[in-house]
Amino acid sequence: MSSVEMSEGSVRVETCGDQPLFYRQTLPSSGAAELCVLLLHGIRFSSETWLKIGTLETLAAAGYRAVAIDLPGLGHSKAAPAPAPVGQPAPGVFLRQVSEALQTGPVVIISPSLSGMYSLPFLFQHSEQVKAYIPVAPICTEKFTAEQYSSVQTPALIVYGDQDIQLGEASLSNLRHLPNHKVVVMKGAGHPCYLDDPETWHKAVLDFLQSL
């Protein structure tokens, strides 16, 4: 894999009472990247997950800027006034402020599990700032109507593990109303399917990004 530049830092956003949010970032060794991928995470995870399974490095090696944040109260990000109770959609402005603070430009969002409470409102309220959407069995999909989904033209790659019979299939039944979507079902993989088969996960994400 080609060399990539890796760094850590924190950003402050108003929605969290200006409490710092921790992030990890990788850049292509050239330093130039046309597209930024913002990686969110589930409740038992953090930005470290994407470091451990090589997603941050893989994206940067393929020419993308990759930023993985620790969501409020998880990983290295302190519990601040949370933008919303767990399981309820957070204000879409939260990820807009994160993107602005990180100067991402229109961003690709990778959003597993818990992070659906943040990514879905951002997608619906600020779709012009979402270059593409990669949901991985996110929560909160049932909080929005088929009409809301069908109004979003953002390209989406819906990913879930075929062993995730609960959230995987439930989220798909809602997300399939996004008009511009593809589906990848990862064989033999559970709810955090990217952990079970990082190689298949990385190939699916890179193939999708290259199609944008």
Side-chain angles (χ1 to χ4, degrees):
M1 200 172 278
S2 65
S3 62
V4 300
E5 293 177 30
M6 197 169 290
S7 59
E8 298 178 355
S10 63
V11 289
R12 293 174 185 272
V13 300
E14 199 182 321
T15 340
C16 288
D18 278 339
Q19 194 71 284
L21 291 172
F22 177 83
Y23 70 86
R24 302 168 198 270
Q25 172 172 268
T26 49
L27 290 166
S29 50
S30 66
E34 286 182 23
L35 193 58
C36 181
V37 180
L38 181 63
L39 296 114
L40 309 180
H41 61 82
I43 197 162
R44 300 197 316 276
F45 303 101
S46 70
S47 62
E48 189 177 10
T49 304
W50 304 118
L51 183 66
K52 280 184 171 172
I53 68 167
T55 306
L56 283 165
E57 192 177 355
T58 298
L59 287 166
Y64 302 102
R65 176 188 175 197
V67 185
I69 66 167
D70 286 357
L71 291 166
L74 298 168
H76 293 298
S77 293
K78 293 195 170 56
V86 170
Q88 292 300 317
V93 71
F94 168 70
L95 282 182
R96 194 192 83 198
Q97 289 175 350
V98 169
S99 297
E100 286 170 354
L102 290 165
Q103 298 180 315
T104 63
V107 71
V108 177
I109 302 277
I110 293 181
S111 177
S113 198
L114 168 89
S115 67
M117 65 181 276
Y118 298 103
S119 65
L120 285 162
F122 182 54
L123 177 68
F124 290 120
Q125 293 165 29
H126 302 287
S127 62
E128 74 288 348
Q129 295 187 17
V130 186
K131 176 79 174 172
Y133 185 51
I134 307 178
V136 188
I139 67 168
C140 288
T141 59
E142 77 288 352
K143 307 284 188 189
F144 304 93
T145 66
E147 290 71 30
Q148 283 175 292
Y149 284 105
S150 62
S151 70
V152 173
Q153 296 302 317
T154 305
L157 179 70
I158 302 165
V159 183
Y160 70 101
D162 67 355
Q163 303 302 303
D164 183 10
I165 47 181
Q166 194 173 358
L167 207 45
E169 291 175 8
S171 60
L172 175 65
S173 69
N174 298 310
L175 292 166
R176 66 183 174 78
H177 294 293
L178 290 167
N180 188 4
H181 78 266
K182 299 171 185 170
V183 180
V184 169
V185 183
M186 290 178 54
K187 305 292 183 212
H191 182 51
C193 53
Y194 40 87
L195 291 184
D196 293 329
D197 188 351
E199 191 177 337
T200 298
W201 159 249
H202 291 146
K203 183 178 186 319
V205 169
L206 291 179
D207 286 351
F208 174 66
L209 292 176
Q210 281 151 18
S211 75
L212 295 176

